Amino acid sequence: MRIAVIGTGVVGRTVAARLAELGHDVVVGTRDPSVTRERTQPDRFGTAFSTWLEKHAGLRLETFEAAAAHAELVVNATSGLVSLDALASAGAANLDGKILVDIANALDFSKGMPPAVRASSEESLAERIQTAFPGAHVVKTLNTMNAFLMVDPAQLAGGDHTVFLSGNDASAKARVSELLRSFGWRDIIDLGELSTARGTELLLPIWLSLMSALGIPPSNFQFKIVR
Ligand code: NAP
């Protein structure tokens, strides 16, 4: 499948690399490819973007707009505080009729750690994205865990933990579930309409508390629903 991953942070890089490994035609979107290519300093994960891109020769780096235009399916892996702006740069016409997988959380790091979680029980970021881009089929998923677990659940507890899915379009959710299964997910809970993303976005405060209380790396714990 032709996939655009909008975002060059650890989530965008991790998801893009895994999708390419699975044989998809993946373009990564960024505001200004020439500026992003110049990122030669390691980030907090120890990798410079330029080094990462060299190691993944199959991946192309384009503007948000060119990446989205290329794709059948678009992944939003931008900072949740600016996702609406980033997707507007991608262009509403380039999202029309496409599945838009939203992984973003609106975390505000301006006052340091832990970040403030800009989530609401009245409206999720995913719903705001859906309202802004009515032609897209928004599916919220993967936002409740660390980036490395998103694409490789088996690295924790043999993959015996849970990923949630919210969206208004059943066929879009079915396509996204297929992608999740290709990553190794087995326990996929479809919560229902996109409004259920309010709940998964509101899991972030407890997720952040767990990170602090458990004192273990964020890819070493995850939510599991027992029933
Ligand atoms: P991030 O630092 O939150 O976001 C990086 C992306 O945001 C970059 O592509 C950047 O564009 C874009 N961006 C930043 N400011 C912008 C602006 N003013 N206008 C347009 N775009 C802008 O990256 P991340 O840590 O990989 O997280 C991505 C998303 O996944 C976030 O919403 C985060 O909350 C969510 N998430 C993260 C994790 C995790 O483990 N980190 C886990 C679950 C969910 P450029 O490419 O041009 O720099």
Side-chain angles (χ1 to χ4, degrees), residues 5-220:
V5 176
I6 306 292
T8 56
V10 65
V11 174
R13 295 198 302 266
T14 306
V15 171
R18 180 75 171 126
L19 288 168
E21 186 182 276
L22 290 167
H24 298 286
D25 175 3
V26 183
V27 175
V28 177
T30 189
R31 282 170 286 187
D32 182 338
S34 58
V35 170
T36 305
R37 274 179 217 286
E38 294 306 311
R39 289 181 189 154
T40 52
Q41 293 305 311
D43 63 13
R44 67 197 163 95
F45 299 95
T47 312
F49 187 85
S50 55
T51 314
W52 176 84
L53 194 60
E54 275 164 29
K55 278 195 191 146
H56 295 88
L59 292 174
R60 301 196 301 287
L61 184 68
E62 300 278 4
T63 61
F64 289 149
E65 188 178 20
H70 157 89
E72 299 161 73
L73 180 148
V74 177
V75 176
N76 174 35
T78 60
S79 161
L81 297 180
V82 297
S83 288
L84 286 166
D85 297 336
L87 293 169
S89 303
N94 293 322
L95 303 174
D96 252 9
K98 298 180 183 176
I99 297 172
L100 176 51
V101 179
D102 176 35
I103 306 181
N105 290 308
L107 301 184
D108 181 352
F109 291 91
S110 63
K111 296 201 171 99
M113 286 295 279
V117 181
R118 306 280 177 223
S120 156
S121 61
E122 292 173 357
E123 191 182 38
S124 58
L125 171 63
E127 290 169 278
R128 289 198 281 132
I129 292 173
Q130 184 66 81
T131 300
F133 305 99
H137 306 297
V138 178
V139 178
K140 184 93 192 191
T141 192
L142 293 172
N143 65 305
T144 55
M145 68 196 70
N146 167 265
F148 304 120
L149 288 176
M150 294 177 187
V151 298
D152 184 16
Q155 69 178 256
L156 177 67
D160 184 19
H161 44 96
T162 307
V163 63
F164 304 106
L165 203 65
S166 305
N168 297 336
D169 185 293
S171 67
K173 283 194 287 191
R175 296 282 299 277
V176 175
S177 295
E178 256 173 62
L179 267 187
L180 292 173
R181 278 192 288 276
S182 73
F183 291 162
W185 284 102
R186 301 194 301 273
D187 188 16
I188 302 168
I189 298 184
D190 180 351
L191 294 170
E193 297 280 304
L194 196 59
S195 57
T196 62
R198 298 172 195 178
T200 53
E201 293 180 10
L202 282 164
L203 279 177
L204 264 291
I206 179 75
W207 189 92
L208 289 161
S209 299
L210 285 166
M211 187 169 78
S212 161
L214 296 174
I216 57 178
S219 54
N220 287 10

